[in-house]
């Protein structure tokens, strides 16, 4: 009964702030939007930067190669930031084009490419929901400080019931948000990349794991700032090791093993 | 001036004993530089190593993430129930706000410089334009502290803001290539990516370190001073006694 009371009360509190609820759906959607944009902006050709004071037209170049003008004082920075693959002088341009013509045709399997981007985006969405779930669950810190938890115990409730009720209410609110985000994702990408069943399973798993992470962090943290900072660091590390930026299979030695311990790796695996 | 120094000392002491500020701005960037450096060591051009790349991009990113700790610093007197005592002393709101900003600047800037020194020692970051770079870290910290103090002191919806402020910074960080390089030769795409102020900061640092051109870094430093000053003035203007003393009351 205690669990149910806390669940009902905290669920009401979670849904009361509509602006926060909308924001917590909008932010992951923005992450996904960014993923879709970045999928289209990725370099699909080999870019040769030619050192030149003025912006010049480079005429016809073979398919798969682009030539752009680079200011001499920006040569290293353009390569480092990934705006071009190599920087050469005007005289060396012809040679560089010939050298790269054969192996620059980056033919992409459309479906496979989309799936990889989708995996990255999913990793980021999980990271974001770890943080959001903690923010919802950290109500318990405020309740401890303001005496809400003590009142619950005076009324005969047990502390563990309070934590369980809080965890379940966090799960419910996060599940509603994740489900909305995944429905949008499914509508955009379609069955080829994510099936309806996978989406449902993912929504369940992401909300369950996020609620558990949030519940544990909130129960252990002494302040809201502590919970906020700890979960951000934990979520980013899980994301880095879990294959959001580099597939776990490509990670060297022990890092690959650590990666498999990250909950985000298993979420990404659910995509297939 | 004595009151100003007294408050500054108090704020500095609080910031120095705040483990989260150090964790966020020293340990976190060093761990990320190490981890991402190892993971992506084969995917960088010959001009730079993965460790150097992540050292350059991670320091401004973590400094910006420090806005959370500065926001809480703006509310700490209300949380610690010491706001009323401070208000009873003959200190002005200018002194209260400015000491919070300067304490944040010194701590965030100091942490950034320390991470830079470690990265220079261990990963061989080029020493080109070091003075300008260190100054830039302090001025960026000033801007972050100004904005953080403004959000912490002057905004009524602090409870919502504190929860979501790190997410847009992370998105801007991704656009700036903090976690993986996001480059494009297309003008349109470059314009979209340029919406991220962190991308400008990173570009300025790369130009200063690897091309010996500090012009952009100096311009951005001036912009940081302007942002910090405007935010500080905004915080002074919107400073409310009641919010400062009782601002810990949750809205839901």
């Amino acid at each position: 009964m205690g669990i149910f009371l806390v669940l009902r009360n905290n669920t009401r509190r979670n849904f009361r702030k509509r602006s926060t609820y909308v924001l917590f759906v909008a932010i992951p959607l923005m992450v996904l939007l960014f993923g879709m944009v970045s999928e289209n902006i990725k370099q699909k050709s080999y870019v040769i930067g030619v050192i030149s004071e003025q912006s010049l037209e480079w005429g016809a170049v073979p398919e798969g190669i682009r030539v752009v003008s680079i200011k001499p004082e920006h040569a290293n920075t353009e390569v480092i930031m990934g705006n071009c693959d190599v920087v050469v002088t005007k005289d060396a341009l012809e040679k560089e084009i010939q050298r790269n013509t054969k192996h620059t045709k980056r033919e992409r399997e459309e479906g496979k490419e989309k799936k990889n981007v989708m995996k990255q985006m999913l990793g980021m969405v999980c990271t974001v929901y770890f943080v959001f779930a903690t923010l919802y669950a950290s109500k318990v810190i405020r309740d401890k400080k303001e005496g809400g938890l003590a009142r619950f115990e005076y009324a005969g409730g047990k502390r563990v019931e309070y934590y369980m009720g809080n965890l379940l209410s966090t799960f419910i609110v996060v599940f509603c948000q994740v489900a909305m985000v995944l429905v949008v994702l499914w509508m955009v990408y379609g069955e080829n990349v994510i099936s309806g069943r996978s989406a449902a399973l993912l929504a369940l798993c992401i909300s369950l794991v996020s609620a558990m992470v949030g519940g544990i962090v909130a129960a252990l943290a002494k302040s809201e700032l502590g919970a906020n900072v700890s979960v951000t660091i934990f979520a980013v590390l899980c994301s880095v090791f879990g294959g959001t930026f580099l597939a776990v299979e490509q990670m060297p030695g022990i890092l690959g093993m650590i990666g498999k311990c990250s909950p985000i790796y298993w979420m990404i695996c659910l995509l297939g | 001036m004595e009151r100003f120094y007294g408050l500054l000392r108090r704020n500095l002491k609080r910031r120095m004993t705040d483990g989260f500020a150090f964790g966020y701005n020293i340990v976190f960037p060093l761990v990320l530089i190490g981890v991402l450096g190892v993971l992506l060591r084969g995917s960088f051009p010959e001009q730079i190593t993965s460790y150097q790349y992540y050292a350059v991009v991670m320091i401004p990113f973590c400094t910006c993430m420090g806005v959370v700790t500065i926001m809480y610093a703006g509310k700490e007197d209300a949380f610690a129930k010491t706001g009323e005592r401070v208000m009873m002393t003959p200190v002005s709101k200018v002194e209260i706000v400015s000491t919070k900003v300067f304490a944040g600047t010194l701590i965030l800037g100091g942490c950034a410089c320390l991470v830079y020194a470690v990265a220079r020692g261990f990963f061989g970051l080029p020493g080109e334009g070091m003075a300008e770079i260190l100054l830039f870290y302090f001025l960026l910290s000033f801007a972050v502290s100004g904005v953080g103090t403004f959000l912490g002191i002057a905004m009524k919806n602090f409870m919502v803001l504190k929860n979501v402020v790190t997410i847009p910074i992370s998105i801007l960080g991704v656009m700036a290539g903090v976690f993986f390089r996001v480059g494009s030769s297309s003008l349109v795409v470059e314009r979209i990516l340029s919406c991220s102020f962190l991308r400008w900061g990173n570009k300025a640092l790369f130009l200063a370190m690897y091309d010996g051109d500090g012009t952009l870094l100096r311009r951005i430093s001036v912009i940081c001073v302007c942002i910090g000053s405007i935010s500080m003035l905004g915080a002074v203007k919107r400073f409310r006694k009641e919010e400062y003393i009782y601002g810990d009351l949750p809205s839901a």
Side-chain angles (χ1 to χ4, degrees), chain A residues 27 66 76-77 79-80 83, chain B residues 20 167 181 184-185 210-211:
Chain A
I27 288 173
R66 282 196 63 206
N76 287 328
T77 301
V79 179
I80 289 170
N83 293 338
Chain B
F20 291 115
I167 306 289
R181 287 195 305 159
S184 175
S185 57
Y210 291 89
D211 284 311

Side-chain angles (χ1 to χ4, degrees), chain A residues 146-196:
Chain A
E146 288 164 10
L149 183 56
R151 281 200 298 274
F152 179 74
E153 284 179 315
Y154 284 140
K158 287 179 188 154
R159 191 168 274 238
V160 71
E161 287 177 337
Y162 191 90
Y163 284 124
M164 282 304 291
N166 188 42
L167 194 97
L168 287 173
S169 68
T170 306
F171 168 75
I172 289 170
V173 70
V174 173
F175 179 78
C176 295
Q177 290 169 343
V178 175
M180 284 169 82
V181 171
L182 287 178
V183 164
V184 173
L185 203 66
W186 179 69
M187 282 161 68
V188 171
Y189 282 98
E191 283 282 337
N192 292 342
V193 177
I194 182 168
S195 65

Side-chain angles (χ1 to χ4, degrees), chain A residues 24 27 34 41 43 66 73-74 76-77 79-80 82-83 135 142 146 224-226 228 232 240 245-246 255, chain B residues 20 24 35 38-39 47 72 162-164 167 174-175 179-181 183-185 189 207 210-211 250 252:
Chain A
F24 285 8
I27 288 173
F34 175 75
I41 65 175
Q43 305 278 14
R66 282 196 63 206
E73 65 270 22
H74 290 186
N76 287 328
T77 301
V79 179
I80 289 170
N83 293 338
L135 297 174
R142 219 180 303 154
E146 288 164 10
E224 284 188 72
L225 172 64
N228 200 340
T232 306
V240 169
F245 307 114
L246 180 77
L255 291 178
Chain B
F20 291 115
Y24 229 157
V35 170
V38 172
L39 290 179
Q47 283 90 339
Y72 273 92
K162 75 174 172 52
N163 292 344
V164 293
I167 306 289
V174 173
M175 286 167 78
F179 298 104
F180 46 86
R181 287 195 305 159
S184 175
S185 57
V189 174
L207 278 170
Y210 291 89
D211 284 311

Side-chain angles (χ1 to χ4, degrees), chain A residues 28 44 132 145 147 181 208 228 236 245 252 259:
Chain A
K44 288 190 172 131
F132 289 168
K145 212 190 280 180
V181 171
L208 196 65
N228 200 340
V236 170
F245 307 114

